[in-house]
Structures are given as structure tokens and as C-alpha cells.
Amino acid sequence: MVATNRESIVELRHSSDGHFEQLFVAYSVSIQGFAMGCWPIIAIDSTHMSGPYRGALFSAIAYDANDSMFPLAFGMMRSEHYEDWSWFLKNLKKVVGDKEVFIISDRHPTLLRSVPKVFGLENHTYCYRHLKENFSPFLSKHNTKGNKGKENALQFLDSIAYARLEHDYNVSMFELRKYNDTLAAWVEENAPEYWTMSKFPKQRWDKMTTNLAESFNAWLRNERHHSICNFLMDHMAKLGSMLIKHKEELNNWEWTFLNVDIMKRTCTCRSWEMLGIPCEHVLAAIFSIETHDMPSVDNDGLIRSITGEVFFSLNPPHTKRPPGRLRKKHIESQFRDKRIVYCSRCHTSEQENVQESFVLSAL
């Protein structure tokens, strides 16, 4: 495998009596693709092999520039014990090299031990989908407001997880605590700094789950029934077909170049001029230069200039409720087409009945 795919990283371990134990594979094309065009985020997961030798399939999946699945490395192990995960992650560290990455995984006890040991505790984040699944049965035990109450509590949890600002996180926690203090305590006891966006100390580019790793397991659903040798051959063929397809899609892209003038506050897409808000092209240009005079938004929600000056802002206006009952239905336009109502017996419309009655009366 290494002879035909130079610069690939392949590690094989076997017992003293010649029995297979562990295998790690990272093809050179995957290593180069990750270094050149993938986000520094790796989702890891494992699933069972259902072939004649059983065991477990470990996977490390990255996000490419199109936010699609990019298989980086995989391993075939006897089990999912701590020693197996530790060995797999140490080899994965060789693939990553000096590039700083963070790992997304579920909260399996072996991963809670092995990932921080190899990549550092600050580079480990938890899959929010798995955490939400753990929260759901706890919610069922302490929910006293029926299905609607459970739905509201899950929405509070989503708001807590996806809040970008510390202020929004605190507001969502306040709402959850007001709803049920026990549920709020569960959130605080389950290390929110490793699965909420506002608490995680590093940039995570909105990547909250290990869904890509789950997609990899489903992608190889049929191949997992094969023997180890056949699995390797099928995986290599399938990976090659996927990369060729991505290359063909890339060749079909139509590249458009836009001109951005920060001083004149213009972009050829005209969004900045029409809306008064910098478009994504302007933001890309701003981030490409070291200094700029564009205002920025602090974590507390205040808008500051490059010199630190806080821009003037207004609070919401005081409103006074008008007298009488509030109107719930708007006044319909006379030009709006009304829905035609049909009779359940004769299957004719009300308009047809009126016309028929008019004709009969005329006769």
C-alpha cells in the first residue's frame, strides 16, 4: 500500500503469534488535501465491522472547502477500548503534523481520556447532537408541562448551544432556569465550555456535530460486511471515485471576480451600496488586510470603531397598547382571490348554486 501510494501513513500491529490487532491508514492524497484545502476540524467516530472478523472501524473525517465529507484517515481495531483509541489518535497526530486542529467527538469515556492526552484538552469539543440525546431522557424525567413543555426546553437548549455572544448565552440560561432550575443545573454540570459556541475558547466555524463521521459510516455500510482485505480494496476504489467526482465538479465551477473599494464603500455586486451593510466579498477583503477603519461588534454586543469609540445606540421605544381588543385578522383586500367552498353532497361551489338559483327564479 505504501509502495503504490507514497507518503501515505500506514501502521499495522499484530500479536506475537501472528494475529491481526490494529491497522491505521491515511492515504497521501487525503493528507495533502487536508493540508491544502480543509478546515482544521476533525470529527472522529467508530462503528462495528460486520464481516467475518468483526472488530471496529475508526474514522477521522474533515470538512473540505465546500463543507462536504473529506475522509482523512481510518483504522480497523479489535475493540473500542482506550488503548485502541489512543493508538489511533497518536497516528492521526502524525497525519496532522504541526497544524493546529480541534477534535469533535461524542462523550464516550475512552474519548474523554484519549483525545485530551494526544491533542490537548483545549482542542476537544463535544458533539452537540449526542449531548442533546443525553439531555432528552433527563428532560423527560423532570418535565412537568407535557410535550409542549419538552419542546420549549429543547429550544432553550438549542439557543444555549448556538448563542454566539456571552449575553445571548446568559439570556437563554436565564429562560431555561426560569422554566426549570433542575434542567439549567444539568447544563452547567455538563461542561458547556466544550459544546456551546460562546463558551468554547477557539473558533469552530459553526461545526457542532459529528454528522460527517456518521455519514462516513453510512457511506461504507455495505463494505463493512466484507473481510479486511476486501474492505481496503473497496474503500480505496470508492475514495478514488469520490475525489474524481469532486474534481470534475470543481472544473465546472464558473469563477466570478468582483472589485471591492473599501474607501468608496462599493462592491461590484452592489449589495453594500443597496443595503448599507458590507457583503461577504467586502468582509473577505477586510480580513485580508491588517488595518482597516471598519467598526466591529464586541462580545457584549456594542459596536466600536477602530479607535475603541462606542457608537451611539438607542433602546427600543416605549409602546402604549391601544384601547379595545387587538385585531387578530387583517382586513382582506377586495382584490384578493377567496378560496372556493364546495358542497360535500353535490360537489358544486357556492357561486354555482347562486347562479343556478337565479336561473330557476327567472324561469
Side-chain angles (χ1 to χ4, degrees), residues 239-282:
L239 176 63
S241 300
M242 186 190 74
L243 295 178
I244 291 174
K245 180 181 178 181
H246 287 179
K247 184 177 180 181
E248 292 175 351
E249 293 175 351
L250 178 63
N251 293 334
N252 293 330
W253 279 5
E254 295 182 0
W255 299 91
T256 303
F257 295 93
L258 300 173
N259 295 323
V260 174
D261 191 326
I262 297 179
M263 300 303 295
K264 296 182 179 179
R265 301 177 185 268
T266 60
C267 177
T268 49
C269 75
R270 293 188 59 79
S271 295
W272 199 0
E273 299 164 82
M274 300 294 291
L275 301 177
I277 301 175
C279 58
E280 61 270 21
H281 317 115
V282 175

mmCIF file of all heavy atoms in Angstrom, residues 239-282:
data_model
loop_
_atom_site.group_PDB
_atom_site.id
_atom_site.type_symbol
_atom_site.label_atom_id
_atom_site.label_comp_id
_atom_site.label_asym_id
_atom_site.label_seq_id
_atom_site.Cartn_x
_atom_site.Cartn_y
_atom_site.Cartn_z
ATOM 1 N N LEU A 239 -13.064 5.814 -2.521
ATOM 2 C CA LEU A 239 -12.458 7.115 -2.251
ATOM 3 C C LEU A 239 -11.953 7.752 -3.540
ATOM 4 O O LEU A 239 -12.138 8.956 -3.766
ATOM 5 C CB LEU A 239 -11.304 6.948 -1.262
ATOM 6 C CG LEU A 239 -10.502 8.212 -0.940
ATOM 7 C CD1 LEU A 239 -11.388 9.247 -0.270
ATOM 8 C CD2 LEU A 239 -9.307 7.886 -0.040
ATOM 9 N N GLY A 240 -11.326 6.954 -4.407
ATOM 10 C CA GLY A 240 -10.852 7.496 -5.678
ATOM 11 C C GLY A 240 -11.983 8.020 -6.540
ATOM 12 O O GLY A 240 -11.872 9.091 -7.148
ATOM 13 N N SER A 241 -13.103 7.298 -6.579
ATOM 14 C CA SER A 241 -14.259 7.752 -7.367
ATOM 15 C C SER A 241 -14.821 9.051 -6.814
ATOM 16 O O SER A 241 -15.204 9.956 -7.578
ATOM 17 C CB SER A 241 -15.341 6.667 -7.370
ATOM 18 O OG SER A 241 -14.862 5.478 -7.942
ATOM 19 N N MET A 242 -14.872 9.177 -5.489
ATOM 20 C CA MET A 242 -15.398 10.400 -4.876
ATOM 21 C C MET A 242 -14.510 11.597 -5.183
ATOM 22 O O MET A 242 -14.999 12.680 -5.519
ATOM 23 C CB MET A 242 -15.521 10.219 -3.368
ATOM 24 C CG MET A 242 -16.184 11.384 -2.651
ATOM 25 S SD MET A 242 -16.065 11.279 -0.858
ATOM 26 C CE MET A 242 -14.338 11.710 -0.639
ATOM 27 N N LEU A 243 -13.187 11.428 -5.105
ATOM 28 C CA LEU A 243 -12.272 12.536 -5.371
ATOM 29 C C LEU A 243 -12.309 12.952 -6.837
ATOM 30 O O LEU A 243 -12.225 14.141 -7.150
ATOM 31 C CB LEU A 243 -10.853 12.146 -4.957
ATOM 32 C CG LEU A 243 -10.643 11.892 -3.453
ATOM 33 C CD1 LEU A 243 -9.213 11.476 -3.182
ATOM 34 C CD2 LEU A 243 -11.014 13.117 -2.640
ATOM 35 N N ILE A 244 -12.437 11.983 -7.735
ATOM 36 C CA ILE A 244 -12.552 12.310 -9.163
ATOM 37 C C ILE A 244 -13.833 13.092 -9.434
ATOM 38 O O ILE A 244 -13.846 14.063 -10.204
ATOM 39 C CB ILE A 244 -12.501 11.021 -10.009
ATOM 40 C CG1 ILE A 244 -11.101 10.398 -9.948
ATOM 41 C CG2 ILE A 244 -12.880 11.308 -11.456
ATOM 42 C CD1 ILE A 244 -10.994 9.063 -10.638
ATOM 43 N N LYS A 245 -14.924 12.677 -8.787
ATOM 44 C CA LYS A 245 -16.194 13.391 -8.957
ATOM 45 C C LYS A 245 -16.087 14.823 -8.460
ATOM 46 O O LYS A 245 -16.575 15.764 -9.108
ATOM 47 C CB LYS A 245 -17.299 12.647 -8.205
ATOM 48 C CG LYS A 245 -18.662 13.301 -8.325
ATOM 49 C CD LYS A 245 -19.705 12.535 -7.535
ATOM 50 C CE LYS A 245 -21.066 13.227 -7.610
ATOM 51 N NZ LYS A 245 -22.093 12.481 -6.810
ATOM 52 N N HIS A 246 -15.424 15.025 -7.312
ATOM 53 C CA HIS A 246 -15.245 16.378 -6.777
ATOM 54 C C HIS A 246 -14.386 17.228 -7.713
ATOM 55 O O HIS A 246 -14.648 18.426 -7.890
ATOM 56 C CB HIS A 246 -14.604 16.313 -5.394
ATOM 57 C CG HIS A 246 -15.539 15.826 -4.333
ATOM 58 N ND1 HIS A 246 -15.159 15.680 -3.017
ATOM 59 C CD2 HIS A 246 -16.840 15.455 -4.387
ATOM 60 C CE1 HIS A 246 -16.189 15.236 -2.308
ATOM 61 N NE2 HIS A 246 -17.212 15.081 -3.122
ATOM 62 N N LYS A 247 -13.382 16.615 -8.316
ATOM 63 C CA LYS A 247 -12.530 17.361 -9.243
ATOM 64 C C LYS A 247 -13.312 17.783 -10.480
ATOM 65 O O LYS A 247 -13.163 18.899 -10.977
ATOM 66 C CB LYS A 247 -11.329 16.513 -9.635
ATOM 67 C CG LYS A 247 -10.334 17.244 -10.525
ATOM 68 C CD LYS A 247 -9.125 16.383 -10.836
ATOM 69 C CE LYS A 247 -8.147 17.144 -11.726
ATOM 70 N NZ LYS A 247 -6.956 16.312 -12.056
ATOM 71 N N GLU A 248 -14.171 16.899 -10.985
ATOM 72 C CA GLU A 248 -14.996 17.250 -12.153
ATOM 73 C C GLU A 248 -15.963 18.367 -11.810
ATOM 74 O O GLU A 248 -16.196 19.276 -12.630
ATOM 75 C CB GLU A 248 -15.757 16.008 -12.622
ATOM 76 C CG GLU A 248 -14.848 14.924 -13.218
ATOM 77 C CD GLU A 248 -15.617 13.666 -13.553
ATOM 78 O OE1 GLU A 248 -16.807 13.576 -13.158
ATOM 79 O OE2 GLU A 248 -15.043 12.775 -14.217
ATOM 80 N N GLU A 249 -16.541 18.330 -10.599
ATOM 81 C CA GLU A 249 -17.433 19.414 -10.184
ATOM 82 C C GLU A 249 -16.681 20.731 -10.060
ATOM 83 O O GLU A 249 -17.214 21.797 -10.390
ATOM 84 C CB GLU A 249 -18.093 19.050 -8.853
ATOM 85 C CG GLU A 249 -19.056 17.872 -8.938
ATOM 86 C CD GLU A 249 -19.583 17.466 -7.583
ATOM 87 O OE1 GLU A 249 -19.060 17.990 -6.563
ATOM 88 O OE2 GLU A 249 -20.504 16.638 -7.526
ATOM 89 N N LEU A 250 -15.433 20.662 -9.584
ATOM 90 C CA LEU A 250 -14.623 21.869 -9.458
ATOM 91 C C LEU A 250 -14.319 22.470 -10.823
ATOM 92 O O LEU A 250 -14.335 23.697 -10.997
ATOM 93 C CB LEU A 250 -13.320 21.549 -8.717
ATOM 94 C CG LEU A 250 -12.319 22.698 -8.548
ATOM 95 C CD1 LEU A 250 -12.933 23.812 -7.699
ATOM 96 C CD2 LEU A 250 -11.038 22.205 -7.900
ATOM 97 N N ASN A 251 -14.058 21.616 -11.811
ATOM 98 C CA ASN A 251 -13.761 22.114 -13.158
ATOM 99 C C ASN A 251 -14.972 22.780 -13.797
ATOM 100 O O ASN A 251 -14.832 23.591 -14.715
ATOM 101 C CB ASN A 251 -13.272 20.969 -14.037
ATOM 102 C CG ASN A 251 -11.931 20.423 -13.597
ATOM 103 O OD1 ASN A 251 -11.140 21.140 -12.983
ATOM 104 N ND2 ASN A 251 -11.670 19.156 -13.892
ATOM 105 N N ASN A 252 -16.169 22.431 -13.322
ATOM 106 C CA ASN A 252 -17.395 23.007 -13.889
ATOM 107 C C ASN A 252 -17.807 24.303 -13.201
ATOM 108 O O ASN A 252 -18.805 24.913 -13.582
ATOM 109 C CB ASN A 252 -18.543 22.000 -13.798
ATOM 110 C CG ASN A 252 -18.313 20.786 -14.684
ATOM 111 O OD1 ASN A 252 -17.671 20.881 -15.729
ATOM 112 N ND2 ASN A 252 -18.841 19.637 -14.278
ATOM 113 N N TRP A 253 -17.070 24.700 -12.167
ATOM 114 C CA TRP A 253 -17.388 25.958 -11.489
ATOM 115 C C TRP A 253 -17.149 27.140 -12.411
ATOM 116 O O TRP A 253 -16.229 27.152 -13.233
ATOM 117 C CB TRP A 253 -16.518 26.120 -10.242
ATOM 118 C CG TRP A 253 -17.020 25.356 -9.060
ATOM 119 C CD1 TRP A 253 -18.069 24.488 -9.020
ATOM 120 C CD2 TRP A 253 -16.466 25.374 -7.743
ATOM 121 N NE1 TRP A 253 -18.215 23.968 -7.764
ATOM 122 C CE2 TRP A 253 -17.251 24.484 -6.956
ATOM 123 C CE3 TRP A 253 -15.408 26.060 -7.148
ATOM 124 C CZ2 TRP A 253 -17.001 24.268 -5.610
ATOM 125 C CZ3 TRP A 253 -15.151 25.835 -5.801
ATOM 126 C CH2 TRP A 253 -15.934 24.946 -5.046
ATOM 127 N N GLU A 254 -17.997 28.138 -12.269
ATOM 128 C CA GLU A 254 -17.820 29.391 -13.004
ATOM 129 C C GLU A 254 -17.289 30.440 -12.037
ATOM 130 O O GLU A 254 -17.959 30.831 -11.083
ATOM 131 C CB GLU A 254 -19.156 29.849 -13.605
ATOM 132 C CG GLU A 254 -19.714 28.911 -14.673
ATOM 133 C CD GLU A 254 -20.995 29.433 -15.276
ATOM 134 O OE1 GLU A 254 -21.433 30.531 -14.847
ATOM 135 O OE2 GLU A 254 -21.558 28.770 -16.155
ATOM 136 N N TRP A 255 -16.055 30.861 -12.280
ATOM 137 C CA TRP A 255 -15.401 31.809 -11.388
ATOM 138 C C TRP A 255 -15.807 33.233 -11.741
ATOM 139 O O TRP A 255 -15.808 33.620 -12.899
ATOM 140 C CB TRP A 255 -13.879 31.664 -11.489
ATOM 141 C CG TRP A 255 -13.401 30.305 -11.104
ATOM 142 C CD1 TRP A 255 -13.222 29.229 -11.927
ATOM 143 C CD2 TRP A 255 -13.082 29.847 -9.792
ATOM 144 N NE1 TRP A 255 -12.793 28.143 -11.228
ATOM 145 C CE2 TRP A 255 -12.690 28.493 -9.905
ATOM 146 C CE3 TRP A 255 -13.069 30.450 -8.542
ATOM 147 C CZ2 TRP A 255 -12.305 27.742 -8.812
ATOM 148 C CZ3 TRP A 255 -12.682 29.693 -7.458
ATOM 149 C CH2 TRP A 255 -12.305 28.357 -7.592
ATOM 150 N N THR A 256 -16.179 33.991 -10.740
ATOM 151 C CA THR A 256 -16.562 35.385 -10.921
ATOM 152 C C THR A 256 -15.687 36.263 -10.026
ATOM 153 O O THR A 256 -15.578 36.017 -8.821
ATOM 154 C CB THR A 256 -18.045 35.606 -10.559
ATOM 155 O OG1 THR A 256 -18.860 34.741 -11.361
ATOM 156 C CG2 THR A 256 -18.439 37.054 -10.817
ATOM 157 N N PHE A 257 -15.059 37.263 -10.608
ATOM 158 C CA PHE A 257 -14.185 38.154 -9.854
ATOM 159 C C PHE A 257 -14.908 39.485 -9.632
ATOM 160 O O PHE A 257 -15.480 40.066 -10.572
ATOM 161 C CB PHE A 257 -12.871 38.390 -10.614
ATOM 162 C CG PHE A 257 -12.039 37.144 -10.762
ATOM 163 C CD1 PHE A 257 -12.157 36.339 -11.882
ATOM 164 C CD2 PHE A 257 -11.158 36.771 -9.757
ATOM 165 C CE1 PHE A 257 -11.397 35.195 -12.016
ATOM 166 C CE2 PHE A 257 -10.391 35.631 -9.880
ATOM 167 C CZ PHE A 257 -10.515 34.837 -11.013
ATOM 168 N N LEU A 258 -14.896 39.942 -8.395
ATOM 169 C CA LEU A 258 -15.570 41.174 -8.027
ATOM 170 C C LEU A 258 -14.550 42.186 -7.521
ATOM 171 O O LEU A 258 -13.536 41.823 -6.926
ATOM 172 C CB LEU A 258 -16.613 40.908 -6.940
ATOM 173 C CG LEU A 258 -17.727 39.912 -7.298
ATOM 174 C CD1 LEU A 258 -18.590 39.622 -6.090
ATOM 175 C CD2 LEU A 258 -18.568 40.442 -8.442
ATOM 176 N N ASN A 259 -14.829 43.441 -7.767
ATOM 177 C CA ASN A 259 -13.958 44.529 -7.326
ATOM 178 C C ASN A 259 -14.554 45.188 -6.084
ATOM 179 O O ASN A 259 -15.722 45.575 -6.075
ATOM 180 C CB ASN A 259 -13.782 45.571 -8.434
ATOM 181 C CG ASN A 259 -13.054 45.001 -9.638
ATOM 182 O OD1 ASN A 259 -12.136 44.202 -9.486
ATOM 183 N ND2 ASN A 259 -13.465 45.406 -10.837
ATOM 184 N N VAL A 260 -13.744 45.308 -5.042
ATOM 185 C CA VAL A 260 -14.161 45.914 -3.783
ATOM 186 C C VAL A 260 -13.305 47.148 -3.523
ATOM 187 O O VAL A 260 -12.075 47.078 -3.593
ATOM 188 C CB VAL A 260 -14.024 44.920 -2.605
ATOM 189 C CG1 VAL A 260 -14.324 45.611 -1.282
ATOM 190 C CG2 VAL A 260 -14.943 43.725 -2.806
ATOM 191 N N ASP A 261 -13.968 48.274 -3.252
ATOM 192 C CA ASP A 261 -13.268 49.514 -2.905
ATOM 193 C C ASP A 261 -13.720 49.912 -1.507
ATOM 194 O O ASP A 261 -14.830 50.423 -1.313
ATOM 195 C CB ASP A 261 -13.595 50.622 -3.913
ATOM 196 C CG ASP A 261 -12.681 51.837 -3.742
ATOM 197 O OD1 ASP A 261 -12.308 52.138 -2.594
ATOM 198 O OD2 ASP A 261 -12.347 52.479 -4.754
ATOM 199 N N ILE A 262 -12.863 49.648 -0.513
ATOM 200 C CA ILE A 262 -13.235 49.902 0.869
ATOM 201 C C ILE A 262 -13.369 51.401 1.142
ATOM 202 O O ILE A 262 -14.239 51.824 1.912
ATOM 203 C CB ILE A 262 -12.211 49.256 1.820
ATOM 204 C CG1 ILE A 262 -12.230 47.735 1.626
ATOM 205 C CG2 ILE A 262 -12.494 49.606 3.271
ATOM 206 C CD1 ILE A 262 -11.240 46.996 2.496
ATOM 207 N N MET A 263 -12.512 52.220 0.519
ATOM 208 C CA MET A 263 -12.568 53.657 0.750
ATOM 209 C C MET A 263 -13.865 54.251 0.223
ATOM 210 O O MET A 263 -14.484 55.103 0.863
ATOM 211 C CB MET A 263 -11.361 54.327 0.107
ATOM 212 C CG MET A 263 -10.012 53.835 0.642
ATOM 213 S SD MET A 263 -9.871 54.031 2.434
ATOM 214 C CE MET A 263 -9.926 55.823 2.553
ATOM 215 N N LYS A 264 -14.287 53.811 -0.950
ATOM 216 C CA LYS A 264 -15.546 54.307 -1.525
ATOM 217 C C LYS A 264 -16.752 53.518 -1.041
ATOM 218 O O LYS A 264 -17.889 53.884 -1.353
ATOM 219 C CB LYS A 264 -15.467 54.245 -3.052
ATOM 220 C CG LYS A 264 -14.399 55.149 -3.661
ATOM 221 C CD LYS A 264 -14.427 55.045 -5.182
ATOM 222 C CE LYS A 264 -13.383 55.951 -5.815
ATOM 223 N NZ LYS A 264 -13.376 55.841 -7.294
ATOM 224 N N ARG A 265 -16.492 52.437 -0.312
ATOM 225 C CA ARG A 265 -17.547 51.574 0.220
ATOM 226 C C ARG A 265 -18.447 51.047 -0.895
ATOM 227 O O ARG A 265 -19.681 51.179 -0.867
ATOM 228 C CB ARG A 265 -18.372 52.319 1.284
ATOM 229 C CG ARG A 265 -17.524 52.811 2.461
ATOM 230 C CD ARG A 265 -18.342 53.602 3.461
ATOM 231 N NE ARG A 265 -17.486 54.141 4.502
ATOM 232 C CZ ARG A 265 -17.208 53.539 5.656
ATOM 233 N NH1 ARG A 265 -17.740 52.367 5.900
ATOM 234 N NH2 ARG A 265 -16.402 54.107 6.540
ATOM 235 N N THR A 266 -17.802 50.439 -1.874
ATOM 236 C CA THR A 266 -18.533 49.890 -3.018
ATOM 237 C C THR A 266 -18.039 48.484 -3.311
ATOM 238 O O THR A 266 -16.915 48.110 -2.985
ATOM 239 C CB THR A 266 -18.340 50.753 -4.274
ATOM 240 O OG1 THR A 266 -16.938 50.807 -4.612
ATOM 241 C CG2 THR A 266 -18.877 52.153 -4.074
ATOM 242 N N CYS A 267 -18.904 47.699 -3.912
ATOM 243 C CA CYS A 267 -18.588 46.367 -4.417
ATOM 244 C C CYS A 267 -19.369 46.183 -5.699
ATOM 245 O O CYS A 267 -20.506 46.680 -5.830
ATOM 246 C CB CYS A 267 -18.945 45.292 -3.385
ATOM 247 S SG CYS A 267 -18.674 43.603 -3.973
ATOM 248 N N THR A 268 -18.807 45.456 -6.650
ATOM 249 C CA THR A 268 -19.483 45.302 -7.941
ATOM 250 C C THR A 268 -20.764 44.486 -7.839
ATOM 251 O O THR A 268 -21.571 44.492 -8.764
ATOM 252 C CB THR A 268 -18.536 44.638 -8.957
ATOM 253 O OG1 THR A 268 -17.938 43.476 -8.367
ATOM 254 C CG2 THR A 268 -17.443 45.595 -9.385
ATOM 255 N N CYS A 269 -20.971 43.782 -6.732
ATOM 256 C CA CYS A 269 -22.256 43.109 -6.551
ATOM 257 C C CYS A 269 -23.337 44.080 -6.104
ATOM 258 O O CYS A 269 -24.518 43.721 -6.088
ATOM 259 C CB CYS A 269 -22.130 41.968 -5.547
ATOM 260 S SG CYS A 269 -22.023 42.493 -3.818
ATOM 261 N N ARG A 270 -22.955 45.298 -5.680
ATOM 262 C CA ARG A 270 -23.820 46.426 -5.320
ATOM 263 C C ARG A 270 -24.623 46.181 -4.031
ATOM 264 O O ARG A 270 -25.472 46.985 -3.672
ATOM 265 C CB ARG A 270 -24.775 46.764 -6.466
ATOM 266 C CG ARG A 270 -24.070 47.323 -7.692
ATOM 267 C CD ARG A 270 -25.075 47.822 -8.728
ATOM 268 N NE ARG A 270 -25.948 48.857 -8.199
ATOM 269 C CZ ARG A 270 -25.612 50.125 -8.061
ATOM 270 N NH1 ARG A 270 -24.387 50.522 -8.389
ATOM 271 N NH2 ARG A 270 -26.466 51.011 -7.589
ATOM 272 N N SER A 271 -24.349 45.105 -3.308
ATOM 273 C CA SER A 271 -25.081 44.866 -2.056
ATOM 274 C C SER A 271 -24.737 45.908 -1.009
ATOM 275 O O SER A 271 -25.608 46.367 -0.260
ATOM 276 C CB SER A 271 -24.754 43.462 -1.528
ATOM 277 O OG SER A 271 -25.212 42.473 -2.401
ATOM 278 N N TRP A 272 -23.460 46.307 -0.931
ATOM 279 C CA TRP A 272 -23.039 47.290 0.059
ATOM 280 C C TRP A 272 -23.706 48.631 -0.185
ATOM 281 O O TRP A 272 -24.134 49.331 0.739
ATOM 282 C CB TRP A 272 -21.514 47.428 0.020
ATOM 283 C CG TRP A 272 -20.938 48.049 1.261
ATOM 284 C CD1 TRP A 272 -21.605 48.469 2.361
ATOM 285 C CD2 TRP A 272 -19.567 48.311 1.523
ATOM 286 N NE1 TRP A 272 -20.748 48.974 3.295
ATOM 287 C CE2 TRP A 272 -19.480 48.892 2.810
ATOM 288 C CE3 TRP A 272 -18.387 48.126 0.804
ATOM 289 C CZ2 TRP A 272 -18.279 49.275 3.380
ATOM 290 C CZ3 TRP A 272 -17.182 48.491 1.370
ATOM 291 C CH2 TRP A 272 -17.130 49.069 2.647
ATOM 292 N N GLU A 273 -23.828 48.983 -1.455
ATOM 293 C CA GLU A 273 -24.447 50.272 -1.792
ATOM 294 C C GLU A 273 -25.958 50.238 -1.601
ATOM 295 O O GLU A 273 -26.563 51.221 -1.185
ATOM 296 C CB GLU A 273 -24.119 50.625 -3.240
ATOM 297 C CG GLU A 273 -22.620 50.771 -3.501
ATOM 298 C CD GLU A 273 -22.301 50.726 -4.975
ATOM 299 O OE1 GLU A 273 -22.447 51.768 -5.638
ATOM 300 O OE2 GLU A 273 -21.922 49.662 -5.465
ATOM 301 N N MET A 274 -26.573 49.084 -1.889
ATOM 302 C CA MET A 274 -28.027 49.000 -1.804
ATOM 303 C C MET A 274 -28.513 48.833 -0.364
ATOM 304 O O MET A 274 -29.531 49.406 0.023
ATOM 305 C CB MET A 274 -28.517 47.817 -2.646
ATOM 306 C CG MET A 274 -28.140 47.919 -4.128
ATOM 307 S SD MET A 274 -28.962 49.293 -4.955
ATOM 308 C CE MET A 274 -30.646 48.731 -4.945
ATOM 309 N N LEU A 275 -27.784 48.049 0.441
ATOM 310 C CA LEU A 275 -28.225 47.754 1.798
ATOM 311 C C LEU A 275 -27.510 48.573 2.860
ATOM 312 O O LEU A 275 -28.002 48.688 3.987
ATOM 313 C CB LEU A 275 -28.018 46.264 2.105
ATOM 314 C CG LEU A 275 -28.739 45.272 1.187
ATOM 315 C CD1 LEU A 275 -28.374 43.847 1.564
ATOM 316 C CD2 LEU A 275 -30.246 45.470 1.271
ATOM 317 N N GLY A 276 -26.349 49.100 2.522
ATOM 318 C CA GLY A 276 -25.572 49.830 3.504
ATOM 319 C C GLY A 276 -24.815 48.928 4.467
ATOM 320 O O GLY A 276 -24.226 49.399 5.439
ATOM 321 N N ILE A 277 -24.834 47.619 4.198
ATOM 322 C CA ILE A 277 -24.152 46.639 5.049
ATOM 323 C C ILE A 277 -23.109 45.930 4.201
ATOM 324 O O ILE A 277 -23.406 45.491 3.088
ATOM 325 C CB ILE A 277 -25.150 45.617 5.619
ATOM 326 C CG1 ILE A 277 -26.234 46.332 6.437
ATOM 327 C CG2 ILE A 277 -24.438 44.574 6.473
ATOM 328 C CD1 ILE A 277 -27.325 45.416 6.925
ATOM 329 N N PRO A 278 -21.871 45.798 4.692
ATOM 330 C CA PRO A 278 -20.837 45.115 3.902
ATOM 331 C C PRO A 278 -21.247 43.690 3.552
ATOM 332 O O PRO A 278 -21.733 42.941 4.399
ATOM 333 C CB PRO A 278 -19.611 45.132 4.820
ATOM 334 C CG PRO A 278 -19.856 46.269 5.756
ATOM 335 C CD PRO A 278 -21.332 46.337 5.960
ATOM 336 N N CYS A 279 -21.060 43.324 2.286
ATOM 337 C CA CYS A 279 -21.389 41.988 1.830
ATOM 338 C C CYS A 279 -20.236 41.035 2.163
ATOM 339 O O CYS A 279 -19.201 41.433 2.695
ATOM 340 C CB CYS A 279 -21.673 41.979 0.331
ATOM 341 S SG CYS A 279 -20.276 42.584 -0.656
ATOM 342 N N GLU A 280 -20.395 39.747 1.810
ATOM 343 C CA GLU A 280 -19.359 38.770 2.125
ATOM 344 C C GLU A 280 -18.067 39.040 1.359
ATOM 345 O O GLU A 280 -16.968 38.701 1.832
ATOM 346 C CB GLU A 280 -19.854 37.350 1.825
ATOM 347 C CG GLU A 280 -20.217 37.074 0.381
ATOM 348 C CD GLU A 280 -21.674 37.374 0.079
ATOM 349 O OE1 GLU A 280 -22.281 38.145 0.836
ATOM 350 O OE2 GLU A 280 -22.182 36.822 -0.913
ATOM 351 N N HIS A 281 -18.168 39.668 0.186
ATOM 352 C CA HIS A 281 -16.959 39.976 -0.581
ATOM 353 C C HIS A 281 -16.152 41.075 0.114
ATOM 354 O O HIS A 281 -14.920 41.029 0.166
ATOM 355 C CB HIS A 281 -17.344 40.402 -1.994
ATOM 356 C CG HIS A 281 -18.418 39.569 -2.609
ATOM 357 N ND1 HIS A 281 -19.665 40.071 -2.939
ATOM 358 C CD2 HIS A 281 -18.454 38.262 -2.914
ATOM 359 C CE1 HIS A 281 -20.403 39.127 -3.446
ATOM 360 N NE2 HIS A 281 -19.704 37.991 -3.444
ATOM 361 N N VAL A 282 -16.858 42.047 0.672
ATOM 362 C CA VAL A 282 -16.186 43.125 1.400
ATOM 363 C C VAL A 282 -15.521 42.576 2.659
ATOM 364 O O VAL A 282 -14.391 42.948 3.002
ATOM 365 C CB VAL A 282 -17.191 44.242 1.749
ATOM 366 C CG1 VAL A 282 -16.533 45.308 2.615
ATOM 367 C CG2 VAL A 282 -17.762 44.861 0.483
#
